[in-house]
Amino acid sequence: MRHSRTTRHETMPKRVFVFFLYGSSRRIYQCAQHQILGMLRLKQVELHQQVEEGQARLARLEAWLHTFEQEAKMPAYDILLKSVAPLRAAQTCFVAPGWEQVSPTLTRVFVQIQEHVCQQGATWLIPGITLFHDNEHHERDISVSACLTFEGSVDDSEQVKVTELPGVEMMASVIHHGSFCTLHLAYNALLTWIANNGYQVNGPNRELNHVYKPGGDESLFVTEVQFPVEKR
């Protein structure tokens, strides 16, 4: 009996020790598991950032490639330096919040000017003329005027004002055939010519729509870009 009681007392601490080891191991495993999950989440965030940065670099590269390809295909532009006489025009001025609003606003405004001129019994003339008044390029708050010359007599309204576009002694000009999507090529060619030939811009530039129809075949459009210049 004495021997069996001794055995029972000796075996109980072993069970407690086993349970203690089991509990400790489980806690260590759980802590390690949380640490591993935390490390994996951090790695996930890091990889997401690398992917986003890679996509941004890819987008920039594709944009550069597109620009270079367009420049390689750039049509030959003939730059003309000419004088422009004063023009009497019906004009509406507005400020576009961004470039994406310029085109739809111009379309609406030109229709309003046409209707106003016709209501006055006058006849509006082609080309429609757009003036961009900002001396420097802006992404926001672009100051624009839509103008139509006319034959007859036209009175002012709240939106449409009769004005005189000033004559220009030296107007650098280029003709662009085709879509507005490639009009920037004409701008690039004209501004490069101005800079390379010792001139500087000294007033609002103009766009003249010689051939244009809303919703029409853009390949048939003819647009003239003009910049008033002076010698540097």
Side-chain angles (χ1 to χ4, degrees), residues 15-138:
R15 293 175 184 174
V16 172
F17 182 66
V18 169
F19 283 123
F20 172 77
L21 285 178
Y22 173 76
S24 299
S25 300
R26 184 176 181 84
R27 285 192 296 273
I28 292 172
Y29 172 76
Q30 290 174 342
C31 291
Q33 187 180 40
H34 289 147
Q35 290 177 346
I36 292 171
L37 286 174
M39 293 171 60
L40 291 175
R41 289 193 181 99
L42 288 174
K43 191 64 177 178
Q44 183 184 40
V45 171
E46 180 183 343
L47 291 174
H48 274 301
Q49 291 175 343
Q50 291 176 358
V51 169
E52 291 175 357
E53 291 172 357
Q55 289 175 338
R57 288 196 297 270
L58 178 60
R60 289 194 296 270
L61 176 61
E62 290 175 343
W64 291 336
L65 285 172
H66 181 67
T67 299
F68 291 146
E69 288 170 354
Q70 285 189 325
E71 289 179 350
K73 300 176 184 177
M74 183 181 292
Y77 287 105
D78 293 322
I79 310 300
L80 179 65
L81 192 63
K82 62 182 181 180
S83 62
V84 173
L87 295 171
R88 187 175 56 130
Q91 180 185 71
T92 295
C93 302
F94 65 91
V95 176
W99 284 102
E100 62 276 9
Q101 284 85 32
V102 170
S103 181
T105 304
L106 278 172
T107 300
R108 176 176 53 80
V109 168
F110 271 119
V111 170
Q112 290 177 350
I113 298 174
Q114 291 170 1
E115 292 176 348
H116 176 73
V117 171
C118 291
Q119 288 170 2
Q120 301 284 313
T123 303
W124 56 270
L125 304 174
I126 293 174
I129 304 172
T130 302
L131 274 68
F132 295 94
H133 297 279
D134 299 315
N135 293 328
E136 297 180 356
H137 179 78
H138 296 293

